[in-house]
Amino acid sequence: MSSAKLREEIQTQLDKLEANFSRLVVGQKPLFQKLMVVLLSDGHMLLEGLPGLAKTLAIRTLASLLNLPFHRVQFTPDLLPADILGTQIYQPQTGEFRIRKGPIFAGILLADEINRAPAKVQSALLEAMQERQVTIGETTFPLPEPFLVLATQNPIDQEGTYPLPEASLDRFLLKAVVGYPSRDEELQILDRQAPIANPPKLEPVMGLEELKQLRAAVDLIHLDPKLKNYIVDVVRATRHPEEYQLDIGGWIQFGASPRATIALARIAKAQALLAGRDYVNPDDIRSLSYDVLRHRIVMSYEGESQEKKPDDVVKAILGKLPIP
């Protein structure tokens, strides 16, 4: 099959998936695209947004359309690691322990309000997110393929929350900020909520084999050496801004890790595929830099005192570095 024919078939699959997604979720096309970017890149995503913006609905809808096992865990202060991973249960009849697997054994795990659970619970996800396996007692179990952690957190109402440690944040491929719908989109939402008794039913439109084909197609997307250097410079500028004549060194305590470099290259390829191209362009990298870097940059006290945010750092870097 020619590459043009393959891209046409891929685009048909993606268009069908988006059309069905939009039947339930209105006004969140950017969120759909980022969900797909993460899915095609075999990564995890942190979503930040106010309540009522369809974060949970979007994730649940995508899982249904892909026919993937879906589990939702509400993170609370009294949650234990065993509530997510599973535990050993003693069987008095046999005198042995039986493994009861937790909700993490799913295709898509929704970690709802992840920052409401303490650090020991958040850390329980580290092995699963990085190595795609879970250890219960002395036994290690592989997780299903695909496996995605999609976590949400609320930017307000921070009382009783536990900020995610840097090690946990770095495991997320990107952090997306979910915004309000437009006025026209909100009217559509209102109209669609009217027939409460007959909500639209969705059938799976893509299976595991099709997903594997899409992921294989991402690997074939061309990334020019000049753009590879550009990605490295963007990430390095968060650690060594003085090397790039950037006067933002006082804002930053710690810059992004090499995981950010890998993530930016990977999701830029996925975005190019979603756009129907077989090559990455600079706009792919620039538009995704915020999502890849905003949760990996640790601001200094000086930066916070000036009310600077990680997005301000990324904006300064992209404004200074020449576009290839």
Side-chain angles (χ1 to χ4, degrees), residues 38-230:
V38 170
L39 182 70
L40 297 181
S41 303
D42 193 18
H44 312 285
M45 181 164 68
L46 179 63
L47 291 89
E48 183 175 279
L50 297 168
L53 295 181
K55 300 185 296 295
T56 301
L57 176 63
I59 295 168
R60 189 186 299 274
T61 300
L62 183 64
S64 297
L65 293 173
L66 297 172
N67 199 26
L68 293 175
F70 171 81
H71 288 157
R72 176 180 180 269
V73 177
Q74 184 65 48
F75 277 58
T76 56
D78 59 347
L79 198 69
L80 298 174
D83 296 329
I84 303 171
L85 305 181
T87 188
Q88 295 177 308
I89 299 176
Y90 181 69
Q91 304 291 303
Q93 299 88 347
T94 62
E96 298 178 346
F97 285 91
R98 176 175 64 85
I99 299 293
R100 187 191 68 184
K101 294 182 179 180
I104 199 168
F105 289 88
I108 294 181
L109 175 70
L110 170 57
D112 209 4
E113 294 191 290
I114 189 172
N115 57 333
R116 293 207 174 275
K120 66 178 181 180
V121 178
Q122 297 171 7
S123 298
L125 295 174
L126 293 180
E127 179 186 15
M129 293 173 69
Q130 184 64 31
E131 301 176 37
R132 309 304 170 101
Q133 64 183 29
V134 169
T135 302
I136 304 174
E138 297 180 355
T139 308
T140 299
F141 300 91
L143 288 167
E145 174 68 26
F147 170 70
L148 289 86
V149 174
L150 301 175
T152 68
Q153 65 178 21
N154 193 329
I156 60 173
D157 189 19
Q158 294 299 318
E159 184 177 353
T161 61
Y162 304 83
L164 272 69
E166 284 73 20
S168 296
L169 287 171
D170 205 25
R171 296 303 199 278
F172 289 101
L173 198 66
L174 57 83
K175 176 184 176 183
V177 177
V178 184
Y180 286 117
S182 67
R183 188 179 187 280
D184 289 341
E185 290 166 344
E186 198 155 359
L187 279 172
Q188 291 182 49
I189 293 171
L190 187 61
D191 290 338
R192 293 193 186 187
Q193 289 300 312
I196 299 175
N198 298 300
K201 295 181 180 180
L202 299 179
E203 297 294 333
V205 298
M206 188 182 297
L208 182 58
E209 288 305 314
E210 290 85 357
L211 179 58
K212 288 181 178 179
Q213 291 174 3
L214 290 176
R215 287 182 169 180
V218 171
D219 293 333
L220 301 177
I221 300 296
H222 177 67
L223 180 60
D224 189 91
K226 291 181 180 179
L227 294 181
K228 290 181 181 179
N229 280 283
Y230 185 59

